[in-house]
Every structure is written in C-alpha cells, then in structure tokens.
Amino acid sequence: CVNSCCEVDLLLKVRTQPALCQYEYIIVEKRGENKNVGFIQLNRPKALNALCDGLMKEVGYALDAFEADGEVGAIVITGSDRAFAAGADIKEMQNRTFQECYGGNFLAHWNRVSTVKKPVIAAVNGFALGGGCELAMMCDIIFAGEKAQFGQPEILLGTIPGAGGTQRLTRAVGKSLAMEMVLTGDRINAQDAKQSGLVSKVFPVDQLVSEAVKCGEKIAANSKLVSAMAKEAVNAAFELTLAEGNRLEKRLFHATFATDDRKEGMTAFVEKRKASFQDK
Ligand SMILES: *[C@@H]1O[C@H](CO)[C@@H](O)[C@H](O)[C@H]1NC(C)=O
C-alpha cells in the first residue's frame, strides 16, 4: 500500500474523509443525494483490476473508514465496465512457496470485506473471475451488468479458490453448478448468474453503478443500527442450524425493542408519516 497516511489516520481515528487519503489502486468517494453511500471503485485498469496485495489492503482501509463514518449507511464496491476484477495477481503468486503462504496466512486479510457491519453491494460489470468472483461474493448483495461474467478458473492454474470461492459459490448456486464452475473453470454470464441466485438483479452496463448507489441510498435511509442486526441475522443463516439461527434472530428482533429507531419506526407508521431514524 501507498500510504502510511491511512494507517496513521486510522490509529488516530481522525480520518473522516477517506477521499483525502491518497490511494493508489482504488477511488474512494461518498455518493448519493445525501452522500451517505460509501463508494469504492477498484482502479487498476492495466491489470483488469487484478487484486494485488496493495489493492486489497487499500480496500480494507477504505472499509475501515466507512465503517467509522457516521454518515455512511451502505457501501458500494465496483470496478470498471470491462472488469470488476479479473482475479488475484498471478505474478505476485507465481513463485510463492507453501511455507510463505501458510506462514503469512496468505489471502486471510481479504476477509475484511465479509466482516463489515454495514451492508455492502457489489456492482459487477465485466469479468468477476477467481478472486474477483470471491470478492463479489463477500459482499451482501450482488448486482450485475448485462455483460458480466463470473467464474472460478483457478483449476486451470493448478490451484483452487482460496478466498471463499468453493464455499460461498456452493451456498449461492448449489452443488452442481458450483462443481461445474470450480472443476472446469467455465464462466457463467449475468443471466445465468441471476437465474442461479448468485446475483439479485441485472442492469444495462451504463446503469449498473447508479442502480447500486440507489439501492445503497434506500438501505442508508433505514436505521444503521437495525440494518446491522438484519445483516447479522441473514448471515447467521449460513453458519447455524435452523433452530440456532431462529434463536439468534429472535434475540436480535427483541433487541430492536431496545432502540429508539424501532419506537420511531412503528410510531411513524401509526401516525402515517415517514420515519426519521437517528441510528440510536
Ligand atoms: C519466478 O521464477 C522464475 C524462474 O525462477 C523467474 O523467471 C520469474 O521471473 C519469477 N517470477 C516473478 C514474478 O518473480
């Protein structure tokens, strides 16, 4: 990563405007009418946004900043029209040894994307391959542009997905399609991704990002506190048995009754007005 600036600011917790930080591999902004949607654009065009270590570190810094930013209620991650991300950086991996991978817990820090409490939307145009597909699947919602392509081609390089591809893809699309993609390296297009449940919506290429930001604005208009609970509850469905998951949901549901926002939401409904959430 470029900047010690990011690390220092984070330590001091003074960085409220991530755009002030000099990023090398990503563009970071706040979008939406109320500037309440954190926006991260992967920007390594010569390498089709291959996910080098520096890029993923920067994504981590930007997410930390948005997580700490009281205005931001949702986050959009996107790439370019040609590529969301064409994979991990193969050159970076070419001569790496097992000892280095295991010792350094290679790829472990990518997981930051899946531990953010605020909802994250991936807006995928073009290639989402290998690490790119895995990065999209770490997000909470995936929207695709009509020309998007998803795939896990690691097998063609003599390796297997290492950032959740075999796990998240299988949960998203089921065993047969996941096996086919992971074992052959074949890609699926946006329509197949929609049909299989990997993505929830498909848009024309030039509308994708604005539609993702619109979805982010919709989410950001709700209580951030309660959105985090909703996200936690849905994610628990991938980890727990039905009984345990239902119990967690019930506890979180009950917990919403400890918030001002739940009171405001129901009162506004009864009074036939729009709720104004204070994230309390
Ligand atoms: C990896 O090793 C080979 C042969 O030892 C060398 O030719 C190549 O340049 C190395 N690749 C990188 C990215 O350092």
Side-chain angles (χ1 to χ4, degrees):
C1 174
V2 249
N3 27 72
S4 49
C5 128
C6 302
E7 287 174 82
V8 170
D9 284 352
L10 276 172
L11 286 175
L12 299 174
K13 290 200 182 359
V14 294
R15 187 150 63 92
T16 51
Q17 287 175 290
L20 292 180
C21 228
Q22 289 306 308
Y23 291 104
E24 185 178 353
Y25 300 112
I26 61 176
I27 295 167
V28 179
E29 295 170 4
K30 289 205 253 179
R31 292 222 179 155
E33 220 167 287
N34 299 317
K35 300 282 172 226
N36 55 5
V37 178
F39 182 82
I40 299 174
Q41 181 170 17
L42 312 182
N43 185 36
R44 209 188 157 206
K46 278 186 212 141
L48 289 177
N49 291 334
L51 302 168
C52 63
D53 201 46
L55 187 153
M56 287 309 294
K57 276 200 180 126
E58 289 187 4
V59 169
Y61 294 136
L63 290 173
D64 286 341
F66 285 144
E67 193 85 307
D69 186 329
E71 284 177 4
V72 170
I75 298 163
V76 170
I77 300 181
T78 194
S80 67
D81 285 358
R82 256 187 97 199
F84 177 72
D89 195 312
I90 310 298
K91 277 196 202 125
E92 238 177 45
M93 288 193 279
Q94 185 190 354
N95 292 333
R96 215 177 269 241
T97 63
F98 162 76
Q99 287 84 344
E100 286 162 1
C101 287
Y102 186 79
N105 210 357
F106 182 44
L107 294 189
H109 68 279
W110 282 36
N111 210 38
R112 177 71 187 105
V113 182
S114 65
T115 59
V116 179
K117 285 179 109 172
K118 293 178 180 176
V120 184
I121 303 161
V124 176
N125 266 327
F127 302 116
L129 303 179
C133 188
E134 291 172 303
L135 175 62
M137 291 191 294
M138 284 181 204
C139 301
D140 301 307
I141 296 171
I142 307 178
F143 283 179
E146 275 167 351
K147 301 226 167 95
Q149 292 190 42
F150 298 84
Q152 299 290 163
E154 287 86 348
I155 198 81
L156 305 176
L157 303 174
T159 186
I160 70 170
T166 64
Q167 303 303 298
R168 292 196 176 93
L169 186 64
T170 307
R171 283 162 167 79
V173 307
K175 179 173 166 180
S176 182
L177 182 55
M179 281 288 191
E180 192 188 329
M181 290 171 69
V182 169
L183 293 176
T184 66
D186 284 351
R187 304 168 189 169
I188 59 171
N189 62 25
Q191 284 67 37
D192 290 340
K194 168 88 165 54
Q195 206 175 9
S196 65
L198 181 60
V199 313
S200 53
K201 288 204 171 83
V202 178
F203 295 101
V205 172
D206 59 346
Q207 288 168 31
L208 171 72
V209 169
S210 65
E211 290 292 340
V213 170
K214 255 189 235 165
C215 177
E217 288 184 277
K218 229 185 235 185
I219 291 170
N222 298 322
S223 164
K224 294 181 189 68
L225 200 59
V226 179
S227 292
M229 292 184 195
K231 170 168 170 168
E232 185 183 348
V234 173
N235 275 334
F238 294 97
E239 309 280 354
L240 303 178
T241 65
L242 183 59
E244 288 168 324
N246 278 333
R247 189 153 60 129
L248 176 76
E249 180 197 79
K250 198 71 82 243
R251 295 289 173 263
L252 288 167
F253 168 65
H254 292 162
T256 65
F257 283 76
T259 68
D260 296 348
D261 285 342
R262 195 283 313 169
K263 185 93 196 284
E264 162 64 11
M266 291 192 181
T267 302
F269 180 86
V270 170
E271 294 176 356
K272 296 182 165 51
R273 60 174 173 82
K274 199 166 176 285
S276 168
F277 296 116
Q278 306 300 314
D279 307 318
K280 286 198 279 210

